[in-house]
Amino acid sequence: MTARRNLLVAAMSLPVLLGGGHAVAQEATTTLDPINIQERVESAFGTVDGYVATQGSTATKTETPLIETPQSISVITKDQMEAQAVDSLNSALRYTPGATGNLYGTDNRGHGLQIRGISNSSGVFYKDGLQLKESNFTLFTALDSYGAERYEILRGPASVLYGQASPGGIINYVSKRPTEENLREVELGAGSFDRYEGKFDFSGAVNADKSLLFRLTGAAHTGDTQTDFVEDDRIFIAPALTWQPDADTSLTILANYQRDRSGWAMQYLPAYGTIRPGRDGKYLPNSMFVGEPGFDTYDNDQASIGYELDHRLNETWQVRQHARYVYLKHYEEGVFGGGLLNDEGDYSRYADAGGSRLSGVTIDNQA
């Protein structure tokens, strides 16, 4: 009886104590300033913090976690490209398994791509999910890497989503898009072979409600290459504009122009004198040029403009239309090595010149 009576008294006293404590707390209430916690949700088209991306769009044409994508994908992020001083697609692929861009050594044309052992530069390069169809003599793969937010390398067949393509895989160049946050970046640099370069990247909102966003990216460089008499000059600019009238609709316009003035950096040198010693055990210098300085040109002008229109109908359905017009003008001339003729060191050469001009329209409708 004593134990039950004590328990009852304790139970009756508890609400009284709680009530008294509550009253004291109300008298000493202090209102603190709000703390806003912001976290960037990674997008398959936006900035990745670091070298490891978790989202991708190339394999499914939707924003999908890579861990849930049943295909082999590598993402080369902007941070990784900056850390490795990437200046071309060839150099971007150097640490990518199953892919290489240096089959021909130093090659400023953008040729020499190989994915899963299949050498095929034609038909493997995409920009923002749309194929860049090229000619047999020139490619779009020289598109400046500074304008890319990332490269996505999808290994294996992808014809289910992309139609006819190389069975080795495809490479998707994901362009930099407008951001709501203000971005102001300017770079100046100098390097070997009298190379000088400048880059800029500006982005932000145009109006107060951030329904209109812009981005302007540009780069230029001039200089020589490791091959004698061969220059490498470029101008690149890429404007972008995004209009978001509501949470379910988005229209992004992407454009770029690039002007390249260069020569033939690869020289097709013989095995003797390069990987094997030549006459008297000597090797050719790395800067060896076997062409003609007055007849050595590889010039490209490429441009594109397109849009990405996305609209969500409800929680289940979303429709998209991505379209682009591309243009490329190319001219080349040069004298190339054809192999040793005899043990005396006479070298066979041949000359070639030509040009091409192409344009195309690509439209991809999705639901």
Side-chain angles (χ1 to χ4, degrees):
M1 293 294 293
T2 302
R4 291 180 181 177
R5 186 167 52 253
N6 291 341
L7 181 59
L8 180 59
V9 172
M12 294 176 62
S13 302
L14 183 58
V16 176
L17 293 175
L18 288 177
H22 183 62
V24 174
Q26 284 184 334
E27 293 175 358
T29 298
T30 301
T31 303
L32 301 177
D33 295 332
I35 299 176
N36 296 322
I37 301 175
Q38 297 180 350
E39 180 181 359
R40 180 188 295 275
V41 179
E42 183 181 321
S43 167
F45 308 100
T47 301
V48 176
D49 186 13
Y51 307 152
V52 181
T54 61
Q55 301 281 335
S57 63
T58 303
T60 63
K61 293 191 177 179
T62 63
E63 292 198 57
T64 307
L66 296 178
I67 197 172
E68 298 177 10
T69 305
Q71 284 184 271
S72 180
I73 305 172
S74 291
V75 178
I76 305 170
T77 66
K78 180 176 177 287
D79 284 355
Q80 179 179 337
M81 287 188 282
E82 290 180 350
Q84 296 174 350
V86 166
D87 60 358
S88 66
L89 174 59
N90 294 356
S91 57
L93 295 176
R94 287 175 181 168
Y95 293 87
T96 303
T100 182
N102 292 305
L103 287 183
Y104 306 137
T106 302
D107 188 350
N108 52 350
R109 303 174 302 166
H111 288 242
L113 298 179
Q114 186 182 72
I115 304 178
R116 283 192 168 176
I118 300 176
S119 176
N120 188 359
S121 297
S122 179
V124 302
F125 191 57
Y126 288 69
K127 181 177 181 287
D128 301 315
L130 299 177
Q131 188 181 49
L132 289 170
K133 199 69 176 177
E134 59 279 310
S135 73
N136 292 330
F137 303 97
T138 185
L139 309 175
F140 288 93
T141 48
L143 190 61
D144 199 279
S145 58
Y146 187 69
E149 191 69 58
R150 59 165 70 187
Y151 287 99
E152 292 191 3
I153 292 83
L154 174 64
R155 285 177 286 272
S159 60
V160 172
L161 283 181
Y162 292 97
Q164 184 180 12
S166 169
I170 65 173
I171 299 171
N172 188 23
Y173 176 110
V174 180
S175 301
K176 291 179 177 177
R177 286 164 169 75
T179 62
E180 293 184 358
E181 302 85 5
N182 289 330
L183 173 65
R184 304 290 185 265
E185 179 179 278
V186 176
E187 295 184 19
L188 297 175
S192 304
F193 311 114
D194 294 326
R195 180 184 175 101
Y196 301 94
E197 65 181 18
K199 303 175 182 179
F200 65 85
D201 192 9
F202 303 139
S203 185
V206 177
N207 51 8
D209 62 0
K210 297 185 178 181
S211 62
L212 192 61
L213 312 175
F214 84 97
R215 189 160 189 170
L216 183 62
T217 305
H221 66 247
T222 182
D224 300 325
T225 65
Q226 71 178 51
T227 305
D228 292 337
F229 308 109
V230 178
E231 298 180 349
D232 182 18
D233 301 334
R234 171 175 295 173
I235 297 175
F236 169 82
I237 189 166
L241 190 67
T242 295
W243 178 49
Q244 303 173 136
D246 55 58
D248 296 324
T249 306
S250 174
L251 174 64
T252 298
I253 299 175
L254 300 168
N256 71 272
Y257 169 75
Q258 181 169 311
R259 180 182 184 271
D260 290 317
R261 295 295 180 264
S262 185
W264 291 83
M266 74 299 300
Q267 295 298 304
Y268 304 106
L269 299 177
Y272 289 98
T274 54
I275 61 175
R276 300 177 183 175
R279 298 179 61 189
D280 303 327
K282 297 181 179 180
Y283 288 88
L284 297 173
N286 293 334
S287 60
M288 184 72 182
F289 179 76
V290 298
E292 292 293 327
F295 193 79
D296 187 72
T297 299
Y298 194 89
D299 295 346
N300 272 345
D301 291 274
Q302 61 171 295
S304 74
I305 184 169
Y307 64 85
E308 297 178 349
L309 177 61
D310 297 2
H311 179 65
R312 182 173 295 280
L313 301 176
N314 50 47
E315 293 182 358
T316 303
W317 289 97
Q318 183 176 10
V319 293
R320 301 187 184 98
Q321 184 179 77
H322 296 180
R324 183 174 61 227
Y325 168 79
V326 296
Y327 171 82
L328 191 148
K329 179 182 178 182
H330 167 72
Y331 179 74
E332 64 179 58
E333 59 185 21
V335 177
F336 313 99
L340 289 171
L341 293 175
N342 49 49
D343 294 337
E344 300 301 318
D346 293 330
Y347 197 51
S348 172
R349 301 191 304 166
Y350 67 95
D352 180 75
S356 57
R357 182 178 299 176
L358 61 91
S359 59
V361 175
T362 307
I363 299 178
D364 186 10
N365 297 309
Q366 307 168 22

